[in-house]
Structure formats: C-alpha cells, structure tokens
Amino acid sequence: MVRIAPMQQHLFEHTEQSQDSASGMTATTDLNPAQHAAATHDDGPVLVIAGAGSGKTRTLVHRMAYLLSHGVPPESILLLTFTRKAAQEMLWRAGQLTDHASQRIVGGTFHATANILLRQYGHYLGFGPRFTIIDRGDAEGIVNLLKSSLGLSGAGKRFPSKRVIINLISGSINKSRSIEDLVYEGHVHLSEFLEDFHAIHQHYNQFKQDHGLMDYDDLLVNWQRLLSESTEAKQAICNRFQYVLVDEYQDTNLIQARIIRLLASSHDNVMVVGDDAQSIYSFRGADFYNIMRFSEQFPGTDVIKLEENYRSTQPILELTNAVIRNAEEKFTKSLFSSIEGGVRPTVYSAKNEAAEARYIVKTIRKLREEGTPVNEIAVLFRSGFHSYKLEMELTSHYLPFEKRGGMRLTESAHIKDILSFFRILVNPWDSLSWNRILLQLDKVGPKTAQKIINFIKTSDTPTAALSQYKPGKTWKNGFEALLATLQEIDQPDLPPSTIYDRVIEYYLPVFEKIYYDDYPKRRKELDQISALIGGYGDLQSFVDDTALDPPENVANTADKEDTSQLIISTIHSSKGLEWDVVFVMGLAEGRFPHQNATPGSQYEEERRLLYVAATRAKKQLFLTYPCELVTPDRQFRRTGMSPYIREIPQGLYIKDQGTPAYGNSALPDPGDVPRPLKKTQSARQTFTTGMVVNHSYFGNGKVVNIPGPRRVEVMFDRHGTKILHLDYAKLEIID
C-alpha cells in the first residue's frame, strides 16, 4: 500500500506549478478546485460525479499523473474504460505529464482486462491460458449447429433465428435477468420456445467448455468467478492492483459493479467517475443504481462533484439544470459555465409534425446563411422513426444529411417491401420493385422472379400481363393472392391510404413469416408509414417524397464550403458528442416520454435522455414539439409539450408559437435550389365553400365543405368527393 504523506502532498502542490519540460503542459493550470480535489484525493473510495462537459477525462488523467508522481508503481494502477480508444487517450495524456511512466499502467476495457487476467490466473478455475475468444458471428454459428443437432431447424420448421437466441442469452447475463423475463417482455410471441431456449443455452455453455472457448460475456462472468471463488486468485489480483480507476461508471452493469467491489476488497482504493444524470443505457444492461449505491458498497466514500461546464453557455445550462432538478433520485448538482454570452434556448410549438419539420429546416438554412457551419448543427430525437418527416423535408430542400442511430425511412427491409407495391403502381416497369415483391412469395427464387419479370416487362400493362403467367404448383396459391391484391389496388380512383390498407392486409401474413423473430418491433415502423401516407392526396407525391436520396450532383454541389453533412441522430447515438447548435424534436406528451413509459425507472430514464440531448449544445438549443400527432390508424390526436418541458420555469426559455403553414413543404427562401411552384399554394390561402380548385392527381373540383381545421372536402369532376388535409395536399385555386 502506498499512502501519500502530507509532506508529499505539499510537494505536489508546489511542483505542479512548474511546467513539464517534455510536453509544455502545466499540471494544475488545467484543473479547477473540484478537479484538483479529485485528482489529489488520498487513499480510500471516491465517487466523482462529473456533470456533462465538466472535464472528467482531464480529472482521470491528472489522477494517474498524481499517483505516479508520488511513487505509486504504474503496474499497480488499473484503469477501466468502455472503449479501447478512451483508455489509450487517457494513458497517452498521462504520459505527457509524467515522462511516459504511464506506459506500464494496465488500462483498457472491462473485457480486455478480463482476458489478460483469465489467461494469467484462470488455472485456479480450471481454465488453461490458451482458450479462444469467440466473437458474435462465431457464437451465432455455434447456435446454428446446436439448432440442427437438437432437431430445431430444417425444412418446414419455423424457429427463432440464431441472432435472437444469442440476444436472449447475452441479455440475460448483462441484465442479470432470466431468459423468461426477456421473452415475456419483448418477444412474447416466442414464448412457446422457452424450453428450447434453455436447452440451447445449456448445450451452448457445454460446447464452449468442451472446446476451450469463451464469448465476450464469459470474460466478465469468469472474471467475477475468479475473484469470488478462488481465494488465491483474489489475493494475487487485489495485491497487484492497489488503485482502481473506472470511467463512465453509470454505464456499468451488475456484474461489472460486483467485479469492482471484489477488486478493491483489500484496500478500497477506488475512484469511479460518472454522471447519474447521463445513465441512459438500461436496454444494454446498464444499471442506474450502481452509481447511486456506490457509497453503500464502499463505506466512507468521498463524493466530489464536477459542476463547472466547459462546453455550453450559462442559459443552456440553466435549462438543463431545470430538466434534471425534478428527477426522483439523483446527486444534486448545478452546472455552471464561465463562457460569456449566450442566448436562452427556444421552445417551438408547431401545429403538427410537418410544420415542426419545416421550422427546423428553415432555421437550419437561416443559421447556415448567418455563418454556422452545417456540420456544427445536429437534430436529435428519441427514436429513429421520429425523424421521417424531417428526412423528407430536408431532401425537398436539397440539404444532405447523415443519420445516426435507427435507419433512414427507406433502408429497412420491411419498409422497402411495402414501398415496392406503391412504386409499381406509379411505374409499372420498375423491375427492382417487381423483383422484391415476387421474392416474397414462398418457393419463388431469383431465377423464377426474373422469368416473371421478363414475361411482363414488354407489356403496356405489366400488372394485367401478370395474370397471363402460369405459376408453379408449389407457389400457385401465393401467386394468386398477390395477383388479386395488385388487381384490387391498380385502380385510378383509390386514395393512397386505401391502397396502403389493401396492401398491408395482403402483406402482414407474409411479413410475419419473413421477419418472424422481431416482427412486433418492425410493425411499429409500418404503423408510421400508415400515419404518413394518410396525409397524401396522391400516390406519386408520396413515392417521390420517400425517394430520400437527392441527385448526386445536387448533393455534391449544395454547399461547397461544407466539409461535412448535417447530423440527425437518435439521442443515444449522440452521447459524448457536441455541436454549436442542437435541435431536440418531438418533445410532445405521449412521445417524450413514450406513452408506454411506466412511472419510476423508465420515466426517469427518459428524463435523463432529454438531459443528455440538451447538454450536447454549446451555443444554441432549440426544443420543438408538434401540437397534433397522427396515430397509426390515421386519427389526429391533439397533444401538448412534454411534461419535462412543462416543469421548466418559463423564464429560462423563449417560447416561439408556430403560425399556420400548410402545404407539403415551406416556400423556399433565397438560396434554395429553384423548384417549380404553383401560383397559389394551399399553404398561403384560406379556402371557402364554392371555390374551384385543382389537384395534381384528382384534377379540377369544387370545395363543398370545410369539415375541420386544415381540412377541405372537394367534389372532383372525375374522382368524386375527397377530404384532403391541407398540411399535405397542394391545391391550386382556379376561381
């Protein structure tokens, strides 16, 4: 045990004022009082609550430098992180302060450290040092073999995929929950296979043991076993590592927390750094209560709070402090900044999701014109499908973007399946879409699909020609069901919503078979398509808007000075990043938090999710929400701002009330790539009964009724009466 005497402490405080000759760095000028207290902490447990942007990495680096400068052997320091890159960076920075003595510090991820220790001490549990670590692909391959050997796979058998099975096995370990719990929570449609899952799990563990294999989860489980089941191994490891430092402690799971407790059982020299307010990964197994109960597990813990923020302006921090202030369980802290200036965040109330998307795009264009680089702007949202409206609006304004977390609207396989039906209606010679639809048929492969396409593509009416093709006996029933659906939807007077309903009626049985493992999750995205298409008066406009990739020449020339694209991202994927300007969208009640978020842990994690999103902003923060949402059954539901926003004192933000703005997209501002516009847009007009109007698909008609806000009922000459939503349908007033 190395203890730092008061004289050494005084010596450190003196010498840290001098400049390190190798690096030109000064040891204390980088530290504020709270950081200094953490870095120079004496022996014993310390919990560093590091608020967003408060310099936690800097604190850990100086902690290592402090220990090394006071004679602590580098080999006796263990640094645990969640990425190898983070460990390498911290060790390198510590080396710049201490003449590179940090090279002998053991630093890395939990899994990498477990690998080292198990090879050295695993013999106490009967493991040889030459075990093989298998990755996710290897694990799935083993499960596939076991499915076959147990008679659970083969022709005509429907059984969950290897991916789902490994997810359940791994999830039960990382979340410390039973496979039954996970199945009934997220895969209830697979509950009939519970006994088979247990059989596979048992055989999977035996297979690894017989062949000297460990997967990633085994590394943690066996490290914990090494410390808890072998007195000799525990003593050797605990004596080896006299000081343990842990980064991002709020993201640890129960196994990792137990490992830390066991590692320090003989000395309690543990420093963990984290932020309870940024614990948002429970779906991966992270346990929020690890950081909350650290002081109970380590009696006598000193708690040090890092509250000075080096990222954001004070007005932004005042709002983020207010967001987290009402958390049920927390370490009370108040972030502050010495960054001068700054404007209050803006809360924008939009009429609906379309208006919200238009506001965001319009504001982004304005910011860009004022000099903010587009790569310093980000739009964040709770779930990947919440950005679909925004994606279409960005594309209509030729603003290229990169989406992180979730998939673009047309990237998901099941969404592509549905869109293929719409695309052949507007372009019957779309061979790619025909190929996708035909391959959905059971017993139809690529060669057969191509034969069918070759048969129909020379016809003036490919759908009609399809009825002349003679199907094989094994796939005749499926072919006839598809043909009946196509004939039913290939009618000139059907609105897009009706077409969708007919397609989904045919597609759902096919969908549940193709995506058997996770179709309940995928179904939610199909519901989003249902809501989106309900706002369109013609199918062509919908198909055009879902073709999200702008022409290459437009994307490449949209803005020559921009070296990066706009980032739109789920909040989970944004953690650890920062931008000058951040938009957080979809902050409506029932959406953020999600309407199914139960009171307690789920509700509070969603509060922390908003806190993480807001603290990504350096200079400007925009919080937006729609006052009307479209439900999957295409009903319009009024809503209000998220309860998390309602709790914030109004003096901390600027309220911007949306104004009526109809039409599929806003009128272009100067600088847009020119797009043709009708003389009179429905976005700029008030409609009354008796008006003669023109619609690009339905043709001329007369307004016969105003059934509600933003809706008109029109009697069209050729298509009869239609009720159109003015936020989506473009109408030209003729008379």
Side-chain angles (χ1 to χ4, degrees):
M1 178 74 65
V2 177
R3 292 195 59 86
I4 301 167
M7 181 177 295
Q8 292 176 311
Q9 169 74 13
H10 175 75
L11 176 63
F12 179 77
E13 291 176 347
H14 174 74
T15 58
E16 67 182 355
Q17 303 296 331
S18 63
Q19 197 171 24
D20 182 89
S21 58
S23 64
M25 297 180 65
T26 304
T28 56
T29 53
D30 282 345
L31 300 181
N32 63 39
Q35 293 170 338
H36 183 274
T40 61
H41 187 266
D42 203 350
D43 288 358
V46 57
L47 169 61
V48 180
I49 301 298
S54 63
K56 67 177 181 62
T57 299
R58 181 189 309 164
T59 302
L60 281 169
V61 167
H62 281 270
R63 175 61 174 173
M64 288 186 285
Y66 176 79
L67 293 174
L68 292 172
S69 68
H70 286 76
V72 175
E75 298 85 357
S76 68
I77 301 173
L78 174 63
L79 170 67
L80 294 171
T81 64
F82 277 85
T83 66
R84 187 173 73 169
K85 180 180 178 181
Q88 289 174 336
E89 179 186 353
M90 283 190 264
L91 292 176
W92 180 85
R93 288 173 59 179
Q96 297 300 297
L97 294 172
T98 57
D99 294 325
H100 306 288
S102 64
Q103 291 177 348
R104 299 197 304 277
I105 292 176
V106 178
T109 65
F110 278 86
H111 294 87
T113 306
N115 174 46
I116 293 172
L117 296 179
L118 286 171
R119 293 191 189 280
Q120 294 178 355
Y121 303 102
H123 60 276
Y124 288 109
L125 295 179
F127 297 124
R130 302 182 66 179
F131 62 83
T132 300
I133 300 173
I134 59 174
D135 61 15
R136 178 61 180 256
D138 297 328
E140 291 181 356
I142 295 170
V143 166
N144 238 13
L145 290 174
L146 295 174
K147 283 171 58 180
S148 178
S149 65
L150 294 172
L152 299 174
S153 63
K157 293 188 177 181
R158 177 188 294 181
F159 195 81
S161 70
K162 56 188 179 182
R163 177 180 59 85
V164 167
I165 296 170
I166 285 296
N167 281 345
L168 290 172
I169 293 173
S170 180
S172 68
I173 294 171
N174 285 287
K175 297 180 181 181
S176 297
R177 299 178 63 188
S178 67
I179 289 179
E180 286 91 342
D181 285 346
L182 299 183
V183 168
Y184 284 114
E185 182 179 277
H187 302 272
V188 68
H189 62 295
L190 303 180
S191 56
E192 62 180 294
F193 302 110
L194 268 174
E195 291 186 8
D196 297 322
F197 291 154
H198 285 298
I200 290 174
H201 190 193
Q202 180 180 352
H203 283 81
Y204 175 63
N205 286 337
Q206 188 62 49
F207 185 97
K208 290 183 293 181
Q209 183 177 333
D210 292 344
H211 294 83
L213 308 175
M214 288 192 199
D215 62 25
Y216 294 141
D217 297 325
D218 293 329
L219 294 173
L220 296 184
V221 170
N222 290 327
W223 186 7
Q224 181 186 343
R225 286 185 56 208
L226 195 62
L227 294 169
S228 59
E229 297 178 16
S230 170
T231 303
E232 296 89 344
K234 179 181 179 181
Q235 183 176 1
I237 295 172
C238 291
N239 288 340
R240 175 177 176 179
F241 298 117
Q242 292 292 302
Y243 291 88
V244 180
L245 289 74
V246 187
D247 188 23
E248 302 284 10
Y249 191 72
Q250 79 280 350
D251 293 336
T252 54
N253 61 27
L254 280 173
I255 296 177
Q256 290 164 329
R258 291 169 186 152
I259 288 172
I260 299 303
R261 176 60 276 186
L262 290 166
L263 269 177
S265 57
S266 65
H267 52 70
D268 283 356
N269 290 330
V270 176
M271 171 183 283
V272 300
V273 180
D275 185 3
D276 56 297
Q278 297 189 70
S279 178
I280 59 173
Y281 293 116
S282 64
F283 66 95
R284 295 180 185 171
D287 192 330
F288 168 75
Y289 291 100
N290 282 348
I291 196 167
M292 300 305 297
R293 58 178 167 236
F294 181 83
S295 297
E296 298 175 11
Q297 295 178 321
F298 289 86
T301 294
D302 287 337
V303 178
I304 299 174
K305 300 175 184 178
L306 306 184
E307 298 176 291
E308 183 171 359
N309 177 283
Y310 295 92
R311 174 188 301 154
S312 308
T313 61
Q314 191 61 35
I316 292 174
L317 295 180
E318 288 175 359
L319 183 139
T320 59
N321 287 335
V323 168
I324 208 67
R325 188 171 295 127
N326 291 315
E328 290 182 358
E329 294 186 72
K330 62 184 180 296
F331 285 99
T332 302
K333 60 181 178 297
S334 182
L335 297 183
F336 65 93
S337 175
S338 59
I339 300 174
E340 297 182 357
V343 296
R344 284 183 294 167
T346 295
V347 174
Y348 180 77
S349 168
K351 294 175 66 65
N352 50 36
E353 293 178 89
E356 180 185 29
R358 287 195 298 272
Y359 170 80
I360 292 172
V361 172
K362 179 181 178 181
T363 307
I364 288 171
R365 293 181 60 257
K366 181 180 178 182
L367 289 165
R368 188 178 63 172
E369 291 167 2
E370 293 173 348
T372 301
V374 71
N375 59 307
E376 279 294 343
I377 304 173
V379 185
L380 308 181
F381 33 84
R382 181 189 172 278
S383 300
F385 59 80
H386 289 169
S387 68
Y388 288 168
K389 270 292 178 191
L390 176 66
E391 293 176 40
M392 290 191 284
E393 187 69 17
L394 287 167
T395 300
S396 72
H397 283 271
Y398 301 94
L399 284 173
F401 62 91
E402 176 187 345
K403 185 173 183 180
R404 298 176 181 173
M407 302 183 78
R408 286 194 178 193
L409 176 60
T410 54
E411 287 179 343
S412 300
H414 50 292
I415 301 299
K416 289 182 178 180
D417 292 346
I418 285 290
L419 293 179
S420 294
F421 286 89
F422 304 144
R423 287 171 176 165
I424 64 170
L425 290 181
V426 299
N427 177 14
W429 298 274
D430 182 346
S431 296
L432 289 176
S433 293
W434 274 114
N435 187 64
R436 191 171 196 93
I437 291 172
L438 292 169
L439 287 177
Q440 294 170 11
L441 297 175
D442 196 20
K443 308 298 183 183
V444 172
K447 290 184 178 179
T448 302
Q450 191 59 51
K451 288 180 181 179
I452 299 173
I453 293 170
N454 291 337
F455 180 82
I456 66 176
K457 70 180 182 180
T458 57
S459 171
D460 292 337
T461 54
T463 303
L466 188 66
S467 63
Q468 305 302 315
Y469 192 88
K470 185 177 180 180
K473 292 181 180 180
T474 58
W475 48 278
K476 180 179 179 181
N477 291 339
F479 178 83
E480 290 179 346
L482 170 62
L483 180 61
T485 299
L486 293 174
Q487 291 173 336
E488 191 175 5
I489 64 177
D490 192 14
Q491 304 295 329
D493 58 346
L494 289 181
S497 57
T498 302
I499 295 173
Y500 175 86
D501 291 340
R502 304 287 169 80
V503 169
I504 204 71
E505 184 179 353
Y506 161 81
Y507 177 67
L508 278 181
V510 178
F511 164 74
E512 292 182 3
K513 185 175 183 179
I514 296 175
Y515 307 105
Y516 180 65
D517 297 325
D518 59 353
Y519 71 80
K521 178 181 178 181
R522 292 175 183 260
R523 179 63 193 269
K524 294 177 182 178
E525 294 189 351
L526 293 181
D527 290 342
Q528 294 299 313
I529 296 296
S530 173
L532 280 175
I533 202 171
Y536 284 82
D538 66 279
L539 193 61
Q540 183 71 63
S541 295
F542 177 74
V543 171
D544 288 346
D545 281 353
T546 55
L548 292 177
D549 293 327
E552 185 176 354
N553 61 328
V554 175
N556 290 340
T557 60
D559 202 335
K560 290 292 186 181
E561 67 268 17
D562 288 340
T563 57
S564 301
Q565 295 179 334
L566 170 76
I567 297 298
I568 69 173
S569 173
T570 60
I571 299 171
H572 286 100
S573 296
S574 73
K575 190 172 181 293
L577 304 175
E578 59 185 39
W579 295 271
D580 284 348
V581 182
V582 170
F583 295 81
V584 188
M585 66 180 297
L587 292 169
E589 188 166 19
R591 174 165 285 185
F592 205 137
H594 190 274
Q595 60 185 357
N596 295 331
T598 57
S601 60
Q602 288 185 349
Y603 186 88
E604 290 304 309
E605 178 157 332
E606 299 241 332
R607 179 195 301 279
R608 298 193 294 271
L609 199 61
L610 175 57
Y611 175 83
V612 168
T615 53
R616 301 308 95 197
K618 294 192 288 185
K619 296 179 180 179
Q620 286 184 269
L621 175 64
F622 294 86
L623 308 175
T624 69
Y625 68 95
C627 292
E628 184 179 75
L629 294 172
V630 182
T631 61
D633 59 355
R634 303 189 199 100
Q635 300 298 310
F636 293 90
R637 178 170 63 86
R638 297 289 296 176
T639 186
M641 67 170 61
S642 165
Y644 304 138
I645 306 298
R646 288 203 303 267
E647 294 171 354
I648 300 173
Q650 292 190 14
L652 297 183
Y653 59 82
I654 301 168
K655 184 66 180 293
D656 191 351
Q657 187 71 35
T659 55
Y662 304 115
N664 205 32
S665 60
L667 290 173
D669 293 326
D672 261 344
V673 176
R675 291 185 291 155
L677 291 166
K678 294 183 181 297
K679 292 180 180 179
T680 308
Q681 291 284 347
S682 53
R684 305 303 187 205
Q685 289 292 323
T686 300
F687 290 82
T688 59
T689 56
M691 279 185 172
V692 179
V693 297
N694 177 269
H695 186 275
S696 60
Y697 181 78
F698 297 124
N700 289 344
K702 180 182 288 187
V703 177
V704 296
N705 189 24
I706 309 295
R710 303 179 302 286
R711 296 176 180 84
V712 292
E713 184 176 357
V714 182
M715 172 64 77
F716 289 101
D717 298 340
R718 298 194 306 271
H719 297 280
T721 301
K722 306 292 179 186
I723 296 178
L724 303 176
H725 197 291
L726 292 173
D727 279 358
Y728 305 97
K730 296 178 182 179
L731 293 177
E732 179 183 5
I733 297 175
I734 303 300
D735 184 14

